Amino acid sequence: MKPKISYSAAFWIASLAIALAKIIFLLRPEIDLFTEEAQYWLWSKNLAWHYYSKPPLVAYLNFLSTSVFGINEFAVRLIPIIFGMGTSWITFRFGSYLHGEKIGFWSAMILQAMPFWWMISTFHTTDTALTFFWTATFYLLFKALKENKKRFWVFAGITAAIGLMAKAAMLLVLPFLILYLIQEGKFGRRLKNLILFTLLLSLGFIPILVWNFQNDFITFKHLANLAGAGEGQSSAFSIGKSLESFGGYLEGQLAMVSVFLLPLIFGAIKQVFKFRSQEKFYLILPALLTFFGFGFLSLFKEALVNWPVFTYAGLAILSSAWVAEQTDFWRKMRNYGVAISLGLPLLILLPDITFFKSIPPIKKGEKQLFKRMSGYDPLAERVEFLQDSLQLDEVFIFSETYHMASELSFYLEAHPQTYMLNMGARKNQFDLWPGMEQFVGKDNTGIFVSWNYDSPGEFAEFDSLLYEEKFQVYFRGDSLRAAKIQVWKNLKEFNPYQPETY
C-alpha cells in the first residue's frame, strides 16, 4: 500500500513545522540573543577579512540578513533556521541517494531529533554554517567517488572552501578524505582529483592568511592555546583529572546525539565493523575521527561539547539504514526515540501553553537554561532611560566582558559601538578594535554595566561618579539576577588588564 503522501513531502511538512516552532521561540519576549550570537552580530558592524577567533562568514551572513530584515532577533536567527533545514535536506538527499526516499526521510528525522542539530539550527554560531557546508561537501565527495565525475570534485571543493570561511575545523575534511582513499586502495587513481579538491579548498584559507599576516598570526596563537600548546598551559599531568575531563566529554557527546537514539546508533556502528562496507565506512569515518581526536585532546585540555558534532550527519543515515533491516521492535524504538527527542526541545522552546513549565522545579530549570539569554533587552532599555533622564551627551557604554558589551550594542536602539574594559580576561576581538583610550581627557560620560563587578576599579579612573544603581532583571516574573549600572564623568586614566594568554 502506497503512502498517502511522498516521503519528500513528509520531510518538508515536518521540517517547516519545526522551523515554525523556532520562529515562535524567537518571538518569546523573555528570550534574548545568546551572548555568542550577539558577539557575531557585532562583528557584522565591523566587517573584516577575519576575526580574532573565527573566520568571517558568520559576520557576513549577519550583515546580509540584518541589511534585509533590519537589526532584530528574527534577522539573526533566521539564518540558523535556514541552514539547519538545509543540512537536513542534504541528509535526506544523501540517504535517498543511497537507499531510497524512505531511508532518506528517516535519516533527516533522526538528524533533526539530535540535540546538536537543534543547537546549530536554533542559535546562530559558527557551527551553523560549518555543519551545513561540511554535510554538503561530505555528500558531494561521495558522489564524486561513486560516479567518478570531475564536476562533483569541483562542487565539493567550492563548498569546502566556503565551509573553511565558517570555521577552521573544515580542514579536517582532508585527513578524512586521505584516510578513506588509502584504505579504499585507490589513492593513486584519485590523486589528481584530490589535488584539485585541495586547491579549491585552500581558496577559503586566503582570508585567514591575509588577516593573520596583518595581525601577527593571532588566530593561530589562539587555536594553539585552545589545544593546550599556548603560553602558560603547561601543568602537571593528572590521570584522575584527565579521566574526569574525558568522562565529561563523553557524556556531552552522548547527550548531543540523544540518549533515546543511542541504541540505534550503537547497532548501526556495530554493523559497520561486523560487515565490511565501503559505503558504511565512509559514513562513519568523519564521526570517528573527530570523536576520538577531540576525545584524546580532552585528556589534556577541555574539549567543548560542540567541537566534533558537525560531522555527525553520517550517523543519522547509518542508523536509518540499519533500522530498516531490523524487526518491528527496532522500528518502534526509532519512532519513539525520534518522537521523544523532537518533543523535548519543542517543550523547552515553545511558550508555556499548557502551564507545564509553571511547575516550580521545571520553571527553575528553564530559568537556569536561558539565564545567558535573558535580561539584556530590559537592561538596554534601562540604560537608555538613564541617558534621557540624566540628560547625558557624548556617552560611551562599556563592560568588563565582550558578552555584555555585545548584547548592549544589539539591544540599544541606536546600536552604538560598545567597549570592553579588560579586567582579567584573555584576549578577544575587542582588543583589536579602537578602545576606551580614545576617550581619555575628552570630557565624555561613560556608562559601566556589569553582572559581576560593582565598579571599573583601578582599570579605569574617572573624575566623578554621577549615578549608580542595581538593576534587577526577571525571567517570567521571577528574579533572575541584578546588574550594576554606573554613570561616570570624564575618563582620566585607562589602565586595562594586559592579557598574555590567547
Side-chain angles (χ1 to χ4, degrees):
M1 182 177 178
K2 292 185 178 180
K4 294 181 181 179
I5 59 173
S6 69
Y7 284 106
S8 178
F11 163 79
W12 285 111
I13 291 171
S15 298
L16 289 171
I18 292 172
L20 178 61
K22 292 177 181 177
I23 292 173
I24 294 173
F25 167 70
L26 70 86
L27 295 177
R28 287 178 60 179
E30 70 272 25
I31 305 296
D32 301 329
L33 288 186
F34 181 51
T35 55
E36 295 299 327
E37 291 179 292
Q39 177 195 199
Y40 298 142
W41 164 79
L42 189 55
W43 289 5
S44 73
K45 284 175 58 72
N46 300 270
L47 293 179
W49 282 86
H50 197 270
Y51 297 88
Y52 171 81
S53 59
K54 300 290 191 303
L57 186 59
V58 66
Y60 281 87
L61 289 171
N62 276 325
F63 178 81
L64 178 63
S65 64
T66 54
S67 296
V68 174
F69 298 104
I71 298 175
N72 53 64
E73 293 166 359
F74 175 81
V76 173
R77 291 218 172 124
L78 180 63
I79 299 169
I81 292 173
I82 292 172
F83 274 84
M85 193 180 298
T87 301
S88 301
W89 179 77
I90 294 169
T91 303
F92 169 74
R93 295 304 309 156
F94 200 171
S96 300
Y97 180 79
L98 291 171
H99 304 292
E101 284 198 348
K102 182 177 181 180
I103 302 300
F105 169 78
W106 282 109
S107 299
M109 290 303 100
I110 291 173
L111 176 72
Q112 292 183 137
M114 292 179 173
F116 90 84
W117 180 85
W118 282 87
M119 181 176 66
I120 63 99
S121 64
T122 305
F123 308 108
H124 189 203
T125 69
T126 52
D127 289 322
T128 298
L130 170 67
T131 306
F132 171 81
F133 286 108
W134 172 280
T135 308
T137 302
F138 183 54
Y139 176 38
L140 290 166
L141 283 174
F142 185 85
K143 295 192 74 171
L145 296 169
K146 187 79 171 178
E147 300 182 21
N148 198 28
K149 294 179 179 177
K150 192 176 291 293
R151 71 172 184 270
F152 290 122
W153 287 97
V154 173
F155 295 153
I158 293 171
T159 56
I162 300 172
L164 185 55
M165 293 178 67
K167 200 170 181 179
M170 189 73 209
L171 282 173
L172 293 175
V173 71
L174 282 177
F176 149 66
L177 184 56
I178 290 170
L179 283 174
Y180 179 79
L181 293 178
I182 290 173
Q183 69 80 39
E184 185 190 36
K186 299 179 181 179
F187 185 84
R189 290 166 54 185
R190 312 274 198 191
L191 183 58
K192 288 184 179 180
N193 286 325
L194 174 61
I195 292 173
L196 172 63
F197 171 79
T198 304
L199 289 174
L200 290 170
L201 165 65
S202 63
L203 294 176
F205 210 54
I206 293 174
I208 301 174
L209 287 176
V210 170
W211 186 88
N212 274 277
F213 181 79
Q214 297 170 341
N215 291 274
D216 194 30
F217 291 92
I218 195 170
T219 303
F220 294 91
K221 296 175 183 178
H222 167 68
L223 294 175
N225 186 77
L226 289 179
E231 296 178 11
Q233 295 296 316
S234 60
S235 60
F237 179 77
S238 168
I239 294 178
K241 287 184 178 180
S242 294
L243 292 178
E244 182 182 355
S245 177
F246 179 77
Y249 168 80
L250 179 61
E251 182 180 325
Q253 295 314 300
L254 296 179
M256 283 291 99
V257 295
S258 176
V259 293
F260 302 104
L261 298 174
L262 285 178
L264 316 182
I265 295 171
F266 287 153
I269 292 173
K270 183 179 178 182
Q271 186 187 60
V272 172
F273 293 100
K274 186 176 181 180
F275 304 104
R276 184 171 176 81
S277 164
Q278 290 295 317
E279 171 190 293
K280 290 182 171 59
F281 185 69
Y282 180 91
L283 290 173
I284 201 174
L285 183 57
L288 290 179
L289 283 176
T290 56
F291 175 83
F292 286 110
F294 289 118
F296 178 76
L297 179 63
S298 74
L299 295 172
F300 307 96
K301 178 80 176 178
E302 180 187 11
L304 298 183
V305 69
N306 64 298
W307 285 357
V309 297
F310 65 95
T311 64
Y312 285 1
L315 296 177
I317 301 172
L318 274 175
S319 301
S320 177
W322 180 79
V323 170
E325 299 171 356
Q326 308 308 311
T327 62
D328 286 342
F329 168 80
W330 286 103
R331 284 187 279 277
K332 289 179 181 178
M333 284 281 290
R334 175 201 62 197
N335 296 348
Y336 285 125
V338 169
I340 295 172
S341 299
L342 284 173
L344 287 176
L346 288 172
L347 186 64
I348 292 170
L349 296 183
L350 290 175
D352 191 21
I353 301 173
T354 63
F355 302 103
F356 174 75
K357 289 191 287 185
S358 295
I359 299 172
I362 297 175
K363 188 176 182 180
K364 182 179 179 181
E366 187 186 38
K367 183 169 72 172
Q368 283 299 115
L369 180 63
F370 292 125
K371 185 176 181 179
R372 289 182 65 187
M373 291 178 245
S374 300
Y376 294 103
D377 194 6
L379 186 54
E381 288 183 5
R382 182 61 181 175
V383 170
E384 288 179 336
F385 172 81
L386 292 176
Q387 287 187 68
D388 291 338
S389 61
L390 297 174
Q391 298 181 341
L392 303 177
D393 295 320
E394 302 297 326
V395 171
F396 65 92
I397 297 165
F398 67 104
S399 180
E400 89 287 358
T401 70
Y402 70 80
H403 303 283
M404 176 67 82
S406 300
E407 293 275 10
L408 289 175
S409 180
F410 184 85
Y411 284 104
L412 288 167
E413 187 174 355
H415 309 295
Q417 178 67 46
T418 51
Y419 301 90
M420 176 185 161
L421 173 63
N422 198 321
M423 297 171 66
R426 65 165 174 80
K427 293 180 186 293
N428 60 76
Q429 183 61 39
F430 277 85
D431 290 304
L432 306 179
W433 290 334
M436 288 169 55
E437 67 278 352
Q438 64 188 293
F439 302 115
V440 174
K442 297 291 180 64
D443 197 30
N444 291 72
T445 302
I447 300 180
F448 176 67
V449 186
S450 174
W451 298 122
N452 309 301
Y453 291 90
D454 287 330
S455 77
E458 62 186 7
F459 300 101
E461 295 186 16
F462 294 80
D463 271 341
S464 60
L465 177 63
L466 300 179
Y467 177 83
E468 66 177 333
E469 70 175 31
K470 279 280 189 179
F471 182 73
Q472 188 72 42
V473 297
Y474 299 86
F475 182 84
R476 294 179 57 202
D478 288 351
S479 174
L480 183 64
R481 52 181 169 172
K484 188 62 175 280
I485 304 176
Q486 289 184 321
V487 181
W488 293 90
K489 187 64 177 176
N490 188 20
L491 178 61
K492 295 193 302 182
E493 293 186 26
F494 180 58
N495 304 299
Y497 170 77
Q498 299 297 328
E500 296 181 357
T501 58
Y502 292 86

